[in-house]
Amino acid sequence: MPHHIAIVEDEAALAANYRDALQRQGFRVSVHRDRQSASAAFLRQLPDLAIIDVGLGDDIEGGFELCRELRSLSPELPIVFLTARDSELDIISGLRLGADDYLTKNISQTHMLARIVALFRRVRALREPELREHVIAQGALTLNLERMTAQWAGQPVPLTVTEFWMVHTLARHPGHVKNRQQLMESANVVLDDNTITSHVKRIRRKFETLDATFSAIETAYGMGYRWRGD
């Protein structure tokens, strides 16, 4: 069965262009013009991936609100912002809300499709890992690669796909510093230094919500990050 992609875009011509490009690649596509119709559809059935514009008509922050709603429904659902808003504040806001990628509308269709295919590849790799070990345990952390779940001291940690890959990369080799380029490669995503930093901050906050003393992700200043080995 083909992957189902939901597009939330208020400009009908753009939405049709995205839909046609994705359908040519074999995806099943649904289109929603506003947050209300998208929210109602997602409550009935979640897509396999959501592409969301930030401004939806008069609802200038509608995409951000929709992302927040989706994350509450599914921590691991791949979410991509595709928007004309390209300020650093908007990009960081989108990633902090849990989006896996943030693209601007000047991106080519070829590049957009490549990023979407990469996201699906990451999901598939996590759910059907080629690694022999399906469970990684480091201290209080447990990662289940087959189920794509993370736990801290037995409590579930709601990581996105991108966040899961980053934690996996760090935790597999505790004490080893991973620079930002290595984290991007492991997550199969193209981000700049600021957005990598935002992802790491968000990951830390999720663990700190469960454990106020969490300090397993250390910053190696000028180099990158490492998972502290006990």
Side-chain angles (χ1 to χ4, degrees):
M1 180 178 292
H3 287 302
H4 173 208
I5 296 177
I7 299 172
V8 187
E9 168 61 61
D10 62 317
E11 295 186 45
L14 274 178
N17 285 339
Y18 299 150
R19 180 198 62 210
D20 293 347
L22 291 165
Q23 286 179 339
R24 285 195 294 271
Q25 298 300 313
F27 295 112
R28 183 166 65 91
V29 182
S30 58
V31 176
H32 310 283
R33 296 285 300 276
D34 52 53
R35 178 163 64 95
Q36 290 74 21
S37 62
S39 295
F42 296 157
L43 285 173
R44 292 192 298 270
Q45 183 179 15
L46 288 174
D48 297 309
L49 182 145
I51 300 173
I52 305 173
D53 193 1
V54 174
L56 297 171
D58 295 332
D59 195 356
I60 60 174
E61 301 289 315
F64 287 153
E65 291 300 322
L66 186 59
C67 179
R68 187 180 289 109
E69 292 174 18
L70 272 174
R71 272 290 161 256
S72 69
L73 293 171
S74 174
E76 72 277 359
L77 175 73
I79 299 174
V80 177
F81 278 111
L82 182 57
T83 177
R85 289 168 55 167
D86 59 358
S87 74
E88 183 176 16
L89 178 60
D90 283 328
I91 294 170
I92 291 173
S93 296
L95 294 174
R96 282 178 175 170
L97 287 171
D100 292 286
D101 212 344
Y102 192 107
L103 310 177
T104 55
K105 288 181 177 178
N106 59 1
I107 192 172
S108 69
Q109 283 192 358
T110 301
H111 191 178
M112 178 191 74
L113 290 168
R115 299 282 276 267
I116 290 168
V117 169
L119 259 177
F120 278 127
R121 187 165 60 243
R122 288 155 53 197
V123 172
R124 185 171 62 251
L126 283 169
R127 291 176 177 166
E128 301 176 5
E130 297 178 357
L131 302 172
R132 286 180 298 174
E133 68 273 17
H134 286 180
V135 176
I136 292 176
Q138 295 290 351
L141 175 72
T142 302
L143 297 177
N144 188 310
L145 301 179
E146 189 171 21
R147 297 181 180 178
M148 206 174 89
T149 58
Q151 291 187 334
W152 181 259
Q155 301 178 84
V157 187
L159 300 176
T160 69
V161 176
T162 299
E163 293 164 355
F164 191 102
W165 267 122
M166 289 183 176
V167 171
H168 170 259
T169 300
L170 293 169
R172 281 192 70 202
H173 303 287
H176 292 200
V177 175
K178 298 295 182 180
N179 62 37
R180 287 171 171 80
Q181 183 63 38
Q182 289 171 314
L183 289 175
M184 281 190 283
E185 290 173 356
S186 67
N188 200 9
V189 65
V190 180
L191 301 170
D192 60 25
D193 285 356
N194 288 335
T195 47
I196 287 287
T197 301
S198 293
H199 274 300
V200 172
K201 287 180 178 178
R202 181 176 171 85
I203 291 167
R204 282 174 169 153
R205 283 199 300 270
K206 289 184 176 181
F207 281 99
E208 288 165 358
T209 298
L210 303 174
D211 179 0
T213 66
F214 175 81
S215 59
I217 299 177
E218 296 181 331
T219 301
Y221 291 99
M223 299 173 64
Y225 302 94
R226 63 174 160 247
W227 192 270
R228 192 178 69 190
D230 294 324

